[in-house]
Amino acid sequence: KTEDNLWHCGCLVPIGRVKESCRTGLAKIAEELKGGGAFRMTCNQQVLITDIPEAKKAKVQALLNEYKIAHTPETTVSGMRRNMMACVALPTCPLAFAEAERYLPTLVGRLEVVLERCGLRERDITIRMTGCPNSCGRPSMAEIGFIGKAPGTYNMYLGGDFVGHRLNTLFAESVTEDQIIAQLTPLFSRYSKEREKSEAFGDWVIRAGIVKPMTHGRHWWTIPEV
């Protein structure tokens, strides 16, 4: 609620794809807010429902619940899922070398098992994937980023800043799903034990010396000594 007595709600739209019950629910909310209220698309593929009058708050809340539109920490499943982002990639984009939009939720699902085991399930961690070096999913700005090299194979980047103030650094080349899990599992375990209060994963990766910080964008395509 803001000082103008209007309410606002952020909603998780996985990979920016509005479909099934989420699409129906948002349409119902739009009808309810006709003549007031607004929908705003965020730069991270999510939706904000804004300017909700007090008189319509309860109805909007009921629709969010009825159509199971994720909008709370409990309904967004995990901190990583809240912060995943991908380009459309295959089969839509002819430039893609690998999957992104269709595959990232599957990878995140496997990583959530590891995060749960490390006590990090609710910790916000940005993870982004793109199907080719054009990087439409902005993986270079994520704490964990992937760029497709070939079907099922990605370059993995670590050490970006959570809010996007620092680019990440190449950590591993041409890795598959099992290799990704194998390499991130010990890092999550260490992070859960070594992190400082409120320290983001990307910041810890730099402090722990896992990768060197990317200080200049012109160096991003180089191969650093990680």
Side-chain angles (χ1 to χ4, degrees):
K1 186 177 183 180
T2 47
E3 59 186 14
D4 55 6
N5 293 320
L6 295 175
W7 291 83
H8 315 274
C9 179
C11 300
L12 172 66
V13 181
I15 315 295
R17 186 70 68 177
V18 180
K19 57 186 180 181
E20 299 170 349
S21 62
C22 180
R23 177 189 298 173
T24 304
L26 290 176
K28 295 285 186 180
I29 291 171
E31 293 174 5
E32 183 66 28
L33 294 177
K34 189 176 296 183
F39 287 83
R40 297 181 184 179
M41 309 298 114
T42 78
C43 61
N44 292 323
Q45 299 182 327
Q46 312 301 346
V47 173
L48 291 175
I49 307 172
T50 67
D51 304 330
I52 304 168
E54 180 73 41
K56 295 189 176 182
K57 175 179 177 290
K59 180 61 176 177
V60 171
Q61 182 65 64
L63 289 169
L64 289 169
N65 295 339
E66 179 182 353
Y67 290 95
K68 296 180 173 56
I69 300 173
H71 64 288
T72 65
E74 294 75 23
T75 58
T76 50
V77 183
S78 74
M80 179 173 282
R81 193 168 292 270
R82 283 194 294 271
N83 293 282
M84 67 179 181
M85 182 173 171
C87 71
V88 64
L90 299 173
T92 304
C93 180
L95 301 178
F97 299 141
E99 293 280 359
E101 176 190 356
R102 296 191 301 183
Y103 168 61
L104 184 56
T106 300
L107 176 62
V108 167
R110 289 196 63 185
L111 290 173
E112 283 171 337
V113 175
V114 180
L115 292 167
E116 178 77 39
R117 192 163 63 240
C118 295
L120 297 170
R121 191 175 185 86
E122 290 304 313
R123 176 69 62 167
D124 285 305
I125 299 174
T126 56
I127 182 169
R128 296 176 180 176
M129 178 176 284
T130 193
C132 79
N134 285 296
S135 298
C136 295
R138 305 203 306 277
S140 59
M141 299 178 68
E143 293 176 283
I144 305 171
F146 298 97
I147 294 181
K149 294 286 296 290
T153 305
Y154 302 84
N155 281 355
M156 179 164 61
Y157 299 78
L158 300 177
D161 178 64
F162 178 77
V163 295
H165 292 165
R166 179 183 63 244
L167 297 178
N168 51 30
T169 301
L170 180 64
F171 174 70
E173 292 189 270
S174 301
V175 289
T176 62
E177 179 176 312
D178 287 341
Q179 291 171 325
I180 291 167
I181 301 300
Q183 294 194 39
L184 287 178
T185 295
L187 295 182
F188 288 151
S189 179
R190 285 187 57 189
Y191 173 57
S192 69
K193 300 169 184 175
E194 300 175 10
R195 73 185 189 276
E196 297 176 351
K197 184 178 180 181
S198 301
E199 185 176 29
F201 178 71
D203 295 334
W204 173 81
V205 164
I206 299 297
R207 184 174 65 82
I210 307 302
V211 296
K212 293 183 178 180
M214 183 57 62
T215 55
H216 299 286
R218 65 180 179 273
H219 297 156
W220 193 78
W221 284 108
T222 63
I223 300 178
E225 296 179 6
V226 297

